[in-house]
């Protein structure tokens, strides 16, 4: 029998919400999948089987939005088993929704078994704002929800990689050049803070790509981001 993981749930769940015109991104502020359509926000936590860790994660995500789902692989046995029904009772009591994914089927259908309902979780507006800001600042979905031991591409890292792509093409870049091309000051200042050591200061306000930066551009985890920004700055 084939063994499944959280990554097998990721694509079907993303497709499910994308087809409903949601913008879907993964690994956003510790959330496996976040879907947004105007003011409607949905968070989905992925696990191949139901476990208490999944419940704890979902409860935590309820501080960021009302609509929180857990997604698991469709049970091999009937959903009428006592174990499955007890799981539904717990999730319903907590106001958490449930999605099942037919990972054992070529179609990999996603089914809403339980809709989230009103819960008593205290909302943390600061966490919600940070979640939405992270969503807005990413140009695409470059992560896989539920992935482990892989580099997560945050909005900050995406901006840092954009600077690497610019420096690779222009060899040396000044603050003035970046301002002329409408780059935000917070983005420009990343050259000076140099968190990942991807840049080298040549002179005041002038930078070039470091050896670490060159290696970063070659990493396969960053390939999509690098391709996107290389094309964007090609004609500038």
């Amino acid at each position: 029998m084939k063994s499944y993981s959280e990554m097998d749930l990721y694509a079907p769940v993303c497709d499910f919400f994308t087809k409903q015109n949601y913008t879907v991104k993964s690994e956003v502020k510790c959330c496996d999948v976040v879907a947004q359509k105007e003011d409607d926000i949905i968070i989905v936590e992925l696990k191949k089987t139901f476990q208490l860790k999944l419940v704890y994660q979902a409860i935590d995500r309820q501080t960021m939005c009302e609509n929180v789902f857990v997604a698991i692989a469709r049970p091999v046995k009937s959903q009428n088993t006592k174990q499955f029904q007890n799981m539904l009772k717990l999730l319903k009591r907590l106001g958490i929704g449930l999605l099942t994914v037919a990972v054992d089927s070529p179609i990999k259908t996603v089914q809403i078994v339980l809709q989230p309902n009103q819960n008593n979780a205290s909302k943390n507006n600061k966490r919600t704002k940070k979640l939405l800001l992270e969503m807005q600042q990413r140009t695409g979905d470059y992560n896989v929800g539920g992935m482990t031991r892989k580099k997560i591409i945050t909005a900050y890292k995406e901006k840092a990689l954009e600077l690497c792509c610019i420096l690779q093409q222009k060899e040396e870049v000044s603050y003035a050049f970046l301002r002329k091309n409408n780059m935000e000051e917070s983005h420009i200042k990343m050259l000076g803070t140099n968190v990942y050591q991807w840049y080298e200061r040549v002179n005041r306000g002038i930078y070039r790509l470091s050896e670490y930066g060159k290696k970063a551009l070659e990493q396969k985890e960053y390939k999509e981001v690098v391709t996107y920004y290389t094309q964007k700055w090609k004609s500038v």
Side-chain angles (χ1 to χ4, degrees):
M1 183 180 292
K2 182 180 176 181
S3 176
Y4 300 102
S5 70
E6 287 82 2
M7 292 180 68
D8 293 298
L9 308 176
Y10 162 73
V13 168
C14 286
D15 290 343
F16 178 76
F17 287 106
T18 299
K19 288 175 181 176
Q20 298 177 59
N21 298 318
Y22 283 87
T23 297
V24 181
K25 291 174 184 174
S26 310
E27 296 296 338
V28 184
K29 293 294 180 183
C30 298
C31 304
D32 286 344
V33 175
V34 180
Q36 182 183 11
K37 182 166 61 177
E38 298 178 353
D39 295 330
D40 186 16
I41 308 167
I42 294 172
I43 294 174
V44 185
E45 290 299 322
L46 311 172
K47 281 285 183 293
K48 59 182 179 180
T49 57
F50 184 75
Q51 51 187 267
L52 280 179
K53 182 180 179 181
L54 181 61
V55 176
Y56 298 150
Q57 289 174 333
I59 291 172
D60 176 75
R61 307 310 183 244
Q62 286 178 323
T63 65
M64 291 186 255
C65 79
E66 291 284 346
N67 296 318
V68 177
F69 285 91
V70 294
I72 62 173
R74 183 177 65 181
V76 176
K77 296 180 180 179
S78 168
Q79 295 184 6
N80 293 322
T81 62
K82 185 175 180 180
Q83 184 180 8
F84 193 87
Q85 291 303 312
N86 286 339
M87 175 185 68
L88 288 181
K89 287 178 184 178
L90 175 61
L91 293 176
K92 191 172 183 179
R93 178 70 63 89
L94 296 171
I96 299 166
L98 174 65
L99 302 173
T100 59
V101 183
V103 292
D104 55 345
S105 164
I107 303 175
K108 293 182 171 52
T109 309
V110 176
Q111 179 186 3
I112 299 178
V113 179
L114 183 66
Q115 287 280 5
N117 54 41
Q118 190 172 6
N119 59 73
N120 297 319
S122 298
K123 297 299 179 288
N124 186 321
N125 292 330
K126 187 177 288 187
R127 291 189 75 190
T128 303
K129 288 178 181 177
K130 286 182 177 180
L131 180 78
L132 292 175
L133 183 62
E134 181 71 18
M135 284 280 287
Q136 293 164 4
Q137 290 184 338
R138 294 188 188 184
T139 59
D141 188 16
Y142 302 115
N143 301 306
V144 175
M147 66 183 184
T148 57
R149 297 184 298 276
K150 285 193 176 183
K151 297 179 177 68
I152 293 175
I153 302 175
T154 61
Y156 186 91
K157 183 167 284 186
E158 187 180 332
K159 289 181 179 181
L161 287 166
E162 179 178 10
L163 288 169
C164 283
C165 293
I166 298 168
L167 292 171
Q168 184 187 48
Q169 291 191 37
K170 308 299 178 184
E171 294 189 6
E172 293 183 359
V173 170
S174 67
Y175 287 167
F177 171 83
L178 297 174
R179 290 188 180 111
K180 183 180 177 182
N181 285 280
N182 302 314
M183 185 168 282
E184 295 180 3
E185 285 298 318
S186 60
H187 196 168
I188 295 171
K189 287 178 181 178
M190 289 173 67
L191 288 168
T193 53
N194 201 8
V195 171
Y196 303 113
Q197 301 299 306
W198 288 347
Y199 327 117
E200 287 181 357
R201 185 174 181 269
V202 178
N203 209 329
R204 185 176 179 181
I206 300 176
Y207 289 83
R208 66 186 174 197
L209 197 62
S210 72
E211 288 302 315
Y212 292 114
K214 292 174 184 177
K215 290 178 181 178
L217 290 175
E218 295 172 355
Q219 292 186 33
K220 62 180 181 180
E221 291 94 337
Y222 303 148
K223 185 177 179 180
E224 285 186 83
V225 182
V226 170
T227 300
Y228 174 83
Y229 283 112
T230 298
Q231 189 63 35
K232 176 184 175 181
W233 288 92
K234 191 173 183 180
S235 58
V236 176

